[in-house]
Amino acid sequence: MLITHKKTRKIMNWVIIILVFLLFAWFFSSSLITLYTDYLWFQSLDYTQIFTRRLATSLGLMLITSLIAAGFLLLNWVVVPHWIAPKAELTGSVPFASYFQASSKTSGSKPKTFTVSTRPLRRTFTLSAIAVGVIIGLTLMYQWDTYLLSRQGQPFGIGDPIFNQDIGFYIFDLPWYKVLLNRLQTLIVLTTIGVVVRYAMFGQLEARRTVTHMSLLSSLWLILIGIGRLLNRYSLLQSHNGVVFGAGYTDVNARIPLYTIEAILFFAAAVVLIVNAFTRKWKLLLYIGAFWLILSFVGPGYPALIQRFTVEPNEFVVERPYIEQNIRYTRYAYGLDQIEEQEYPTEGSLALEDLSDHADVIGNMRLWDYRPLLRTFGQLQEIRLYYTFNGVDIDRYSLDGQPREVMLSARELEVNQLAEQAKTWVNEHIIFTHGYGVTMSPVNEVSKEGLPSLIVKDIPPITDYPELIITRPQIYFGESTWQYVVINTTEQEFDYPQGDANAYTRYEGPDGVRLGGLLRRILLATRFGSTQMLFSPALNRDSRILFHRTIQNRAQTIAPMLWYDPDTYPVIVDGHIVWLLDAYTWTGDFPYSEPLHAQNAPNVNYIRNSVKITVDAYTGEITYYLLDPDDPIAATYRRIFPELFKPITEMPVTLREHWRYPETLFLYQSQLYATYHMRDPQVFYNREDLWDIPQELVETEQQVMEPYYVLMRIPGSEDIEFVLIRPYVPKEKQNMVAWLYADCDGEDYGRLGIVKLSKDRLVYGPLQVEARADQDPIISQQLSLWNQRGSRVLRGNLLVIPIQGTFLYIEPLYLEAESGQLPELKRIIVSYDDRVAMAPTLEEALLQVLSSDTSTLPADISGDITPDGTLSELAQQAWDHYQAAQACLAAGDWACYGEEQHALEDILRAMVDARE
């Protein structure tokens, strides 16, 4: 039986429809599977309401927008054309005008016409209208957070200086208005294109009712352009055109009035087009188009003239009010207005006997740099090839009743480092499921071999301190737990190596999504692309899958509207390892606030550390605590998701004791404060007192000095506190002029302060201290010698420690073999005043720089009395003085320690002389 051409075409149409349907089904089925499995994950964490609120908002926006858009398109593509040409539609065929063909004008030939059935075209336009409407709706569903912020936005209580609108308008309302305007403009453009094509196909472009239709659509377009011009006025408060960020003189006095005039003219033009809908004259449309083109070319010229002839000849005078606004709003947006200022006269002095008053500070001076220490931890404590340390964090603990600054790192499991033959699905997803324990060392303790003194070490973790005992060392949730694992299977999980054998365990925590029946298992297997999840005999209905296991991803999945600090750090508390993570509320729409210029940072010009998050490394329990309820953005999110945030007062005290002011936030604040400490507009404009972040030598390279944590006394305070500090130097100079700090402890958490140094006295900056050390003949000779023996010298962080009205500079030196990865701490460089010394220990280096003037020492120390006796007697005296020195050191009596060390030196010299 022969198949006619008509039947063949019909079959092909159905084939195309089926293929398109299958393509859409595949795309949406993949999205729906991810959506459903994420719902199960939220449900397992008891955060279902957060998921459903986001989903309901997204679907609601998509549905309403799709209906409105599809309805508008159907009205203009199907209903109105049918009303304009009803006869043509009813006959079933119309002439297809040769608008797209050149008419032959030779031999008096007539242009060709065609007939085409209108039913398929009506069906095509109808389906197209629905499809385009759904696509527009889909683009809006991802704006759920913008919509919710607009609905629930809380006022800032601060108005902008130009329109006196509350700042909340710019952060919550204006972005939503822009989103709506963009979608409406898109809708009008697509509608107009479809209408033109529809009328052109049927030869009706010059019909009177067509002119009416086009005029009404054009009037809507002009109204939207006018609204856009009005919104653009507000956007100028985030302008880059002037001398500072924000609206400048030209913006306020030229562009804002111009936008207002343009809006009025566009609204008037829209009225003219509405009138044209009844007069039906094409000339009016041409006049409007010409008006638009003229305005587009002439409009930008006026602000340029104002800038050239009014602003540039006297820039500071005319821009002064706007510079003041930029300073004020930038300082507020980054919390710089809360920085407390104080002077540090640098007129103090430090002697050996003073060190006993600062024994708690000296005893916590950090000698280990996190970069070489990470490699050392890896060599000493990774134990097996599949364990890894991702980073070293600095924290403090109360040990034996005393504050101790420590460095620690979590031992995580990296399945990619398994032997090749061991990389099976069962091993990677069922057996090797978790890391184990942490390694910790005090910041200032060094073994005789130049290695860190470990106070938490090995597997299982060993420690002599009850506060550091870990009863749940397993790390199922961490920084490297990037892939899913399945627990509660017939297989036991590897726990830790035990000699030549292994110890095994089973996960007893509550986390995980049950595999359940066949359908759920199919969906989960599809999501993770795993056929083994369907057929593995090790799995059962009660097996659970753990995913979203990395700390960042876990937090981001629950609350994607927050910006998360990249540095998550572990805390040992109540026998568990708990991760602490800082989160920021932020916006890039704050008027007049200078935006951040940093890598890996979003478009930010307002930021607050409003949220702290805890994640239990074993159970996966995640909790969001609202740290700053007064922040309007945080208060808005709390109104949107009341179930998400807990008051900060509900965080256990044991965790609050380990808060750290986030280094990322401090880095941005210190970067901006280098400029925005200048509050006088003229000084700011001329950049007269511009600061910079100093450079330092780290390992073998010069780089910008990083902020660093230290236990110290803030000037004016008697208590030792854990603070984050960063020095400043003048722009293009190296001497130190100030240092910024952030308090991390107790009720003072988050308190910022700037300590300005006296300008009539030189205070060395980090690079100057480095240079003075390199110029010291003894130090430079030793460094050169080490660098020539198949090893290299690595410089650690140079710490600038304010103490007793002066400064100590401390820099550790490490020696690393070129073929090895085990840096050893060999020397400490200490600089004070105009003295610099290098010694094997911090105590010896301090002794050298604080007692280099021997004329001030007692006679029996300065060498006026020479020890005598036999070698045996001198040896006994040396031993006695050494023990006495150690006792003085243990008691924190530095003056006594110095005396005993000098006595020991004299005895050793006498022993050398006696041998000769």
Side-chain angles (χ1 to χ4, degrees):
M1 180 179 178
L2 295 176
I3 301 177
T4 65
H5 176 71
K6 186 175 181 180
K7 286 184 178 180
T8 302
R9 186 173 62 183
K10 189 173 182 180
I11 291 171
M12 289 302 299
N13 287 340
W14 275 107
V15 170
I16 293 172
I17 291 172
I18 292 171
L19 289 176
V20 170
F21 173 79
L22 290 175
L23 180 64
F24 273 89
W26 174 82
F27 173 78
F28 282 106
S29 65
S30 177
S31 299
L32 289 175
I33 289 172
T34 301
L35 189 70
Y36 174 69
T37 51
D38 272 344
Y39 167 77
L40 295 176
W41 182 78
F42 274 83
Q43 189 180 50
S44 70
L45 294 174
D46 200 24
Y47 280 138
T48 309
Q49 288 179 300
I50 295 169
F51 179 87
T52 54
R53 186 170 293 112
R54 281 167 45 187
L55 180 61
T57 303
S58 299
L59 293 178
L61 286 173
M62 184 196 71
L63 181 61
I64 294 173
T65 304
S66 298
L67 289 174
I68 293 174
F72 187 80
L73 290 167
L74 285 171
L75 177 67
N76 287 275
W77 287 359
V78 178
V79 178
V80 173
H82 172 73
W83 173 73
I84 289 176
K87 291 184 179 180
E89 294 287 329
L90 291 173
T91 57
S93 64
V94 296
F96 191 102
S98 55
Y99 281 104
F100 306 106
Q101 298 182 5
S103 300
S104 176
K105 295 184 179 180
T106 58
S107 305
S109 61
K110 297 181 180 179
K112 297 180 181 179
T113 60
F114 301 89
T115 59
V116 60
S117 173
T118 62
R119 287 192 181 94
L121 287 173
R122 278 183 295 175
R123 189 181 302 115
T124 299
F125 274 100
T126 298
L127 294 175
S128 299
I130 295 172
V132 172
V134 170
I135 292 172
I136 293 175
L138 287 172
T139 65
L140 201 64
M141 73 180 294
Y142 297 105
Q143 298 291 333
W144 61 267
D145 54 341
T146 308
Y147 168 74
L148 289 175
L149 286 173
S150 177
R151 284 285 306 274
Q152 303 289 347
Q154 299 296 291
F156 274 70
I158 301 173
D160 77 82
I162 306 301
F163 301 102
N164 200 31
Q165 289 275 5
D166 186 88
I167 298 300
F169 167 79
Y170 296 91
I171 295 174
F172 303 127
D173 297 327
L174 188 59
W176 177 242
Y177 296 157
K178 289 181 178 180
V179 168
L180 289 180
L181 180 64
N182 175 267
R183 299 308 188 276
L184 289 172
Q185 288 176 328
T186 302
L187 179 61
I188 294 298
V189 168
L190 293 175
T191 301
T192 303
I193 293 172
V195 167
V196 170
V197 171
R198 177 67 185 260
Y199 287 139
M201 291 179 67
F202 293 108
Q204 297 167 342
L205 276 179
E206 296 180 0
R208 291 168 62 87
R209 292 183 176 179
T210 300
V211 175
T212 300
H213 191 186
M214 296 297 296
S215 296
L216 292 175
L217 285 176
S218 299
S219 68
L220 290 176
W221 174 250
L222 291 176
I223 289 171
L224 293 179
I225 293 178
I227 293 173
R229 292 294 189 272
L230 293 178
L231 295 182
N232 286 344
R233 299 179 310 159
Y234 300 110
S235 298
L236 285 175
L237 272 65
Q238 299 149 17
S239 167
H240 294 268
N241 298 321
V243 66
V244 293
F245 184 82
Y249 181 89
T250 301
D251 294 319
V252 174
N253 295 279
R255 290 190 176 89
I256 289 178
L258 181 63
Y259 282 149
T260 304
I261 293 170
E262 286 181 344
I264 294 172
L265 292 176
F266 279 120
F267 292 149
V271 173
V272 171
L273 283 177
I274 293 173
V275 172
N276 186 65
F278 300 97
T279 58
R280 301 183 180 92
K281 294 183 178 180
W282 276 99
K283 289 184 179 181
L284 281 177
L285 295 177
L286 295 176
Y287 292 153
I288 294 298
F291 150 76
W292 187 6
L293 289 175
I294 292 171
L295 201 59
S296 299
F297 283 103
V298 176
Y302 175 61
L305 292 174
I306 294 294
Q307 182 71 23
R308 177 69 179 84
F309 295 104
T310 303
V311 176
E312 291 182 5
N314 199 15
E315 187 175 57
F316 172 69
V317 172
V318 297
E319 295 283 10
R320 179 184 181 116
Y322 310 106
I323 295 174
E324 290 177 344
Q325 300 301 343
N326 173 264
I327 295 172
R328 175 193 170 197
Y329 284 90
T330 299
R331 287 173 61 88
Y332 172 82
Y334 292 97
L336 306 182
D337 58 336
Q338 301 299 312
I339 294 178
E340 302 173 5
E341 297 185 4
Q342 61 177 305
E343 299 293 329
Y344 194 69
T346 64
E347 296 175 352
S349 61
L350 194 63
L352 272 176
E353 55 268 21
D354 297 323
L355 293 184
S356 58
D357 297 330
H358 304 281
D360 46 2
V361 175
I362 301 297
N364 283 289
M365 286 188 176
R366 180 161 61 88
L367 305 181
W368 285 101
D369 184 290
Y370 66 88
R371 284 162 283 243
L373 185 61
L374 178 62
R375 299 197 291 274
T376 302
F377 276 178
Q379 290 293 319
L380 299 178
Q381 284 289 302
E382 282 184 356
I383 311 295
R384 293 286 178 90
L385 57 87
Y386 39 74
Y387 285 128
T388 184
F389 293 108
N390 288 292
V392 176
D393 293 292
I394 302 171
D395 201 354
R396 73 287 194 196
Y397 287 77
S398 179
L399 303 177
D400 292 335
Q402 298 296 323
R404 295 290 301 275
E405 189 174 346
V406 300
M407 304 180 79
L408 71 159
S409 185
R411 185 185 295 104
E412 299 198 49
L413 188 142
E414 181 60 72
V415 293
N416 283 342
Q417 296 181 17
L418 287 171
E420 240 2 90
Q421 65 272 18
K423 290 182 179 179
T424 64
W425 184 84
V426 171
N427 276 343
E428 292 180 347
H429 298 283
I430 294 180
I431 305 297
F432 292 91
T433 57
H434 57 273
Y436 204 90
V438 303
T439 293
M440 179 187 293
S441 65
V443 296
N444 66 322
E445 293 187 9
V446 186
S447 69
K448 294 180 180 179
E449 297 80 15
L451 300 175
S453 175
L454 303 178
I455 57 175
V456 180
K457 61 183 179 180
D458 298 342
I459 300 177
I462 300 172
T463 181
D464 294 330
Y465 295 95
E467 302 90 341
L468 302 180
I469 293 175
I470 306 174
T471 56
R472 275 295 186 189
Q474 294 88 354
I475 301 175
Y476 283 86
F477 303 88
E479 295 177 293
S480 293
T481 49
W482 50 270
Q483 67 177 10
Y484 72 89
V485 297
V486 185
I487 51 94
N488 199 23
T489 67
T490 58
E491 300 284 344
Q492 286 190 314
E493 303 168 45
F494 166 76
D495 200 22
Y496 59 88
Q498 197 173 41
D500 295 333
N502 292 327
Y504 291 89
T505 188
R506 290 187 180 275
Y507 179 69
E508 298 176 357
D511 195 76
V513 174
R514 286 181 68 250
L515 292 186
L518 179 61
L519 178 59
R520 182 184 287 193
R521 187 182 291 199
I522 290 173
L523 294 176
L524 289 168
T526 303
R527 160 139 187 194
F528 295 104
S530 171
T531 55
Q532 290 89 342
M533 199 178 295
L534 284 175
F535 304 112
S536 174
L539 308 183
N540 56 66
R541 293 179 60 90
D542 294 323
S543 297
R544 285 176 285 155
I545 180 170
L546 310 183
F547 57 103
H548 291 313
R549 293 198 300 141
T550 62
I551 307 303
Q552 294 279 344
N553 176 253
R554 198 170 185 82
Q556 185 80 36
T557 303
I558 295 172
M561 63 281 185
L562 299 175
W563 176 25
Y564 296 93
D565 192 277
D567 187 17
T568 307
Y569 60 99
V571 175
I572 301 173
V573 57
D574 300 329
H576 280 236
I577 300 170
V578 178
W579 297 93
L580 276 176
L581 172 63
D582 287 283
Y584 308 115
T585 49
W586 61 279
T587 182
D589 299 316
F590 202 96
Y592 275 103
S593 176
E594 186 73 25
L596 283 174
H597 301 290
Q599 290 184 335
N600 304 320
N603 178 31
V604 172
N605 66 355
Y606 170 94
I607 186 170
R608 291 289 186 272
N609 176 213
S610 297
V611 180
K612 285 195 176 288
I613 300 161
T614 62
V615 180
D616 190 295
Y618 183 78
T619 66
E621 180 184 2
I622 180 169
T623 308
Y624 292 73
Y625 295 96
L626 190 60
L627 178 64
D628 186 4
D630 295 328
D631 169 37
I633 299 180
T636 299
Y637 284 135
R638 188 177 189 180
R639 288 191 65 182
I640 296 171
F641 302 111
E643 312 87 359
L644 180 61
F645 301 103
K646 290 185 177 181
I648 196 64
T649 53
E650 294 187 13
M651 179 182 281
V653 175
T654 49
L655 282 173
R656 292 174 63 119
E657 292 173 349
H658 295 278
W659 285 0
R660 299 188 323 188
Y661 194 83
E663 189 174 337
T664 300
L665 174 59
F666 188 77
L667 188 146
Y668 295 144
Q669 288 175 319
S670 60
Q671 173 186 322
L672 285 161
Y673 195 74
T675 301
Y676 283 90
H677 72 277
M678 298 180 287
R679 284 175 284 181
D680 182 279
Q682 188 162 6
V683 174
F684 183 93
Y685 176 78
N686 293 322
R687 296 296 197 264
E688 296 177 25
D689 191 23
L690 193 62
W691 294 348
D692 201 359
I693 307 299
Q695 299 277 317
E696 66 171 337
L697 293 175
V698 176
E699 296 201 340
T700 58
E701 303 292 333
Q702 183 172 311
Q703 67 173 39
V704 174
M705 194 170 193
E706 299 174 349
Y708 52 91
Y709 295 99
V710 63
L711 274 169
M712 57 170 282
R713 285 182 179 84
I714 297 172
S717 173
E718 295 296 325
D719 298 324
I720 186 171
E721 297 182 83
F722 191 61
V723 298
L724 181 62
I725 68 175
R726 198 181 203 188
Y728 286 111
V729 296
K731 188 70 173 178
E732 307 296 339
K733 295 186 180 298
Q734 298 300 334
N735 59 291
M736 194 162 60
V737 294
W739 50 279
L740 183 71
Y741 70 86
D743 201 326
C744 302
D745 281 338
E747 297 299 324
D748 291 331
Y749 174 84
R751 180 165 66 95
L752 297 171
I754 185 73
V755 180
K756 297 182 178 179
L757 309 184
S758 175
K759 294 185 178 181
D760 58 0
R761 184 175 179 181
L762 173 66
V763 178
Y764 292 122
L767 270 188
Q768 291 174 323
V769 173
E770 302 266 18
R772 292 182 66 242
D774 289 338
Q775 291 165 6
D776 184 273
I778 298 176
I779 296 176
S780 61
Q781 182 181 9
Q782 182 65 67
L783 296 183
S784 299
L785 183 64
W786 277 334
N787 279 320
Q788 294 173 3
R789 292 186 173 180
S791 59
R792 59 174 184 160
V793 177
L794 306 177
R795 293 179 184 256
N797 281 124
L798 176 69
L799 303 184
V800 182
I801 309 296
I803 185 169
Q804 200 166 300
T806 184
F807 289 96
L808 280 175
Y809 303 84
I810 299 174
E811 181 181 44
L813 298 180
Y814 310 93
L815 196 61
E816 183 179 54
E818 291 181 356
S819 59
Q821 289 289 315
L822 188 62
E824 297 176 359
L825 179 59
K826 288 300 184 184
R827 292 292 186 271
I828 310 295
I829 295 176
V830 174
S831 178
Y832 163 71
D833 201 12
D834 59 348
R835 310 167 196 168
V836 61
M838 182 176 74
T841 67
L842 177 62
E843 292 81 7
E844 293 176 78
L846 285 171
L847 183 64
Q848 292 182 36
V849 296
L850 296 180
S851 61
S852 60
D853 184 4
T854 58
S855 64
T856 63
L857 296 174
D860 61 330
I861 299 177
S862 60
D864 293 342
I865 297 178
T866 303
D868 57 7
T870 64
L871 277 176
S872 177
E873 291 172 339
L874 289 173
Q876 183 59 47
Q877 292 175 33
W879 176 248
D880 293 340
H881 281 289
Y882 172 76
Q883 288 185 313
Q886 296 303 307
C888 293
L889 184 61
D893 190 340
W894 286 86
C896 169
Y897 178 78
E899 295 172 2
E900 295 296 338
Q901 285 289 107
H902 278 284
L904 176 60
E905 180 182 355
D906 291 338
I907 294 170
L908 293 174
R909 289 183 185 279
M911 292 176 70
V912 172
D913 294 339
R915 290 184 63 184
E916 294 176 354

